[in-house]
Amino acid sequence: MYSLKSQQWARMLSAWAARMLGLLPPRLAFLVLVLLEIEQLRGRHLLEKAYRVHVAAMLAQEPDQTFSGLARRYFPVQSAEILLRLGADREAYDLIVQDQLAARSLDLANTMIRSLIELAEFEKAHQVASQLPLLAGPELVAHLTFLKAMLEIIAGDETCAIESMTSACQSLPSYMRPHQNMASRPARNYHPNPLDFACGSLGRLFDLCNFVGQRVTHVGRGELGIDLFARALAAQSELRSKIVPPLSAETSYVLRRLSIPLDELRVIPEEWTTQIGHLGMLDILFRMRDLGWWSGRALIVVRSNLVANRTFFRLFEGLADVVVIGETVSHAVGEELLSLQRWYGMNFNVFRLPNGEVVPWQEAGALAIMQWETEGRGHVLRDAYDRIFGATPQVQDVFRRMRKAWGMKPDDWYVCLHTRDASHYAEVDGTGQTHRNSPIETYLDAIRAVTDKGGWVIKLGGPNSPRLPSLDRTIDYALSDFRSELMDICLIRNARAFIGTTSGLTNVAISFGIPSALVNCITTDPQLWNRDVRFALKPVRLADGTMLTQAQLTTAPWRWRLFDAGVLDRNGAHPQNNTADEIRAVAEEVVDLASGRHVNGGSQRLLARWQEQLPTPHYYGTSRISAYYLSKYEAALL
């Protein structure tokens, strides 16, 4: 209790002291902070945090305002560190570059470079990193050397990038882990195997390009990411042609037991299976194989505790061989198989089309959807579910008991509802992917529209998802005792329709061919949506109230800024949730579609104008934007 009160008093005193500092001229206030830093006074960081509000207000009114004054002459390193903590990044950058401070303080260099990368100021970050010699040593040095490699590959200096990457790997072996996407959820500790060394500079390039391509996309520069991912694919092809991987006897035995020749091996690493939306991508990957877009023997490598939904994952068993690290193969073999992705892995980020063109993976997937439906093919995973679970008495018994407990009759139909909220990933509003969330209250009219037509609504989601109010014929399954991975998939498979958004469970519904109403959609990527999808986008407005057009939302630079809430905010753009009437309209369109009733397709003139604004006809797969939404926002969106 005493500790808590002490912390509260410290914050109150810091806030009071920050107000006093705010009365001083900015350079005098800054000098006070520098002297406190030199004396290492307790509580100085709390004071800086409180004073940061004043700095932000001053910079908003006068962007050229400076703070360091004479302090930078006598205490340059401390001045730069405090400028960074206050949010005066531009002045800190000028000081670090002009006085070449990066080599004098590695902590300062690390903070400045990371801040600049987050702001997508890659050239400035490269300038700071260029002050650093090629280093080898402790963990911080390794991280800095890796940042240097990132910036060098962004700048197109492949030779220096590989040199820096190699140095980082020597200092910190975890950088030798094969990489395609952070969704693989790697553990911190990693022990390299012989393949990690044998892959040499091409292997280092493969990992680096994949990592950096992902990072630049996260900070709003995805157009750079495409080229980096394509370079990783080229490095993989070159590696496969130049170096035969020296397999251990145990790994060679496993491949022989599975009857997989090395030249036919296609490794599908963990990032494809750790998120349920990625499993939906895996469905499309195998459809691409059926279309003749790639060939070979697929081997899915997983850790059982990291598979997003084991019921859904079982549906792939007939499409590929599967090994489970620590269960069906040893940890050593599993890691070696994952390292083989540098030679034989299916790329998670880009895809080489049959004509040789390399495009973002999602774009290739959307194009595959178009060809798949043109050829009149069915739903492979739906058929697999019906074969594995549909006729299983135990599954059907649980499904019947669940419906009966809710008061549903055997012939009652229902719609599944899933919204995205902050609870699943413990997100902080205004950061990361929080702009994809939406309040459950705006869905209530859509729920009533379904129940008024005689259906039920069953809400899916996590146990901490927002609670639904008590509504007729509406079930909050997410908070029920029946909730399980199996029942999640069972409910979606047997639903008449699905109401969702750009999140993972939507991909399950689409894999099963369930007509889907997708609302509050905001996306950087083309979508894997079929002809039974109707959707509404989140309107994105600038400070003056102007709404971004469909063309702006799907082309650089705005397309790539949509990935992150913070990036959008820094560029003065703010996504808005779909209104209740928009959500209800999309839901009604899809319920009518699923019920075989006439669906208002909207004005063909408007639809043609909308399609003209798309960079490719298949940007949203074969789906269609909601007629109501298109009519409502015609003037602003088109």
Side-chain angles (χ1 to χ4, degrees), residues 112-162:
M112 183 79 263
I113 292 170
R114 290 182 182 276
S115 175
L116 289 169
I117 290 174
E118 189 63 30
L119 295 171
E121 296 277 6
F122 303 128
E123 291 183 10
K124 289 183 176 181
H126 191 209
Q127 272 192 290
V128 176
S130 66
Q131 297 179 9
L132 299 171
L134 187 61
L135 302 168
E139 187 168 326
L140 175 59
V141 171
H143 291 321
L144 272 169
T145 308
F146 181 71
L147 291 175
K148 193 166 181 279
M150 287 177 58
L151 295 163
E152 286 163 345
I153 199 66
I154 291 172
D157 190 346
E158 191 171 295
T159 301
C160 286
I162 292 173

Side-chain angles (χ1 to χ4, degrees), residues 153 158 162 165 176-181 199-213 228-240 267 269 271 338-350:
I153 199 66
E158 191 171 295
I162 292 173
M165 180 66 172
M176 296 190 76
R177 177 187 288 108
H179 182 85
Q180 290 202 50
N181 189 276
C199 66
S201 60
L202 288 170
R204 304 285 81 83
L205 186 62
F206 174 89
D207 298 333
L208 180 64
C209 286
N210 277 317
F211 184 92
V212 180
L228 288 163
F229 293 141
R231 184 67 189 96
L233 193 65
Q236 180 189 58
S237 178
E238 190 176 353
L239 176 63
R240 192 164 54 240
V267 177
E271 33 272 276
L338 288 173
S339 292
L340 277 173
Q341 69 181 280
R342 297 187 181 106
W343 282 267
Y344 306 108
M346 296 302 299
N347 196 285
F348 186 82
N349 303 301
V350 289

Side-chain angles (χ1 to χ4, degrees), residues 215-237:
R215 192 74 197 100
V216 297
T217 301
H218 287 187
V219 299
R221 293 295 305 277
E223 74 279 6
L224 300 177
I226 296 173
D227 291 337
L228 288 163
F229 293 141
R231 184 67 189 96
L233 193 65
Q236 180 189 58
S237 178

Side-chain angles (χ1 to χ4, degrees), residues 157-196:
D157 190 346
E158 191 171 295
T159 301
C160 286
I162 292 173
E163 187 178 6
S164 296
M165 180 66 172
T166 302
S167 179
C169 290
Q170 290 169 349
S171 299
L172 197 61
S174 62
Y175 281 127
M176 296 190 76
R177 177 187 288 108
H179 182 85
Q180 290 202 50
N181 189 276
M182 286 303 296
S184 62
R185 300 181 186 174
R188 281 186 58 84
N189 296 325
Y190 182 73
H191 302 286
N193 60 67
L195 293 180
D196 296 328

Side-chain angles (χ1 to χ4, degrees), residues 63 123 234 288 313 321 362 495 554:
E123 291 183 10
M288 291 173 173
F313 181 61
D321 291 297
Q362 293 275 143
T554 50

Side-chain angles (χ1 to χ4, degrees), residues 2 11 22 136 144 165 172 182 190 200 210 218 254 275 279 292 299 302 313 345 394 397 405 422 436-437 582 629 638:
Y2 177 78
R11 283 194 289 269
L144 272 169
M165 180 66 172
L172 197 61
M182 286 303 296
Y190 182 73
N210 277 317
H218 287 187
V254 168
Q275 295 181 197
L279 286 170
L299 179 64
V302 301
F313 181 61
Q394 295 91 330
D397 180 59
R436 294 167 59 193
N437 300 336
E582 294 161 15
Y629 180 89
L638 305 183

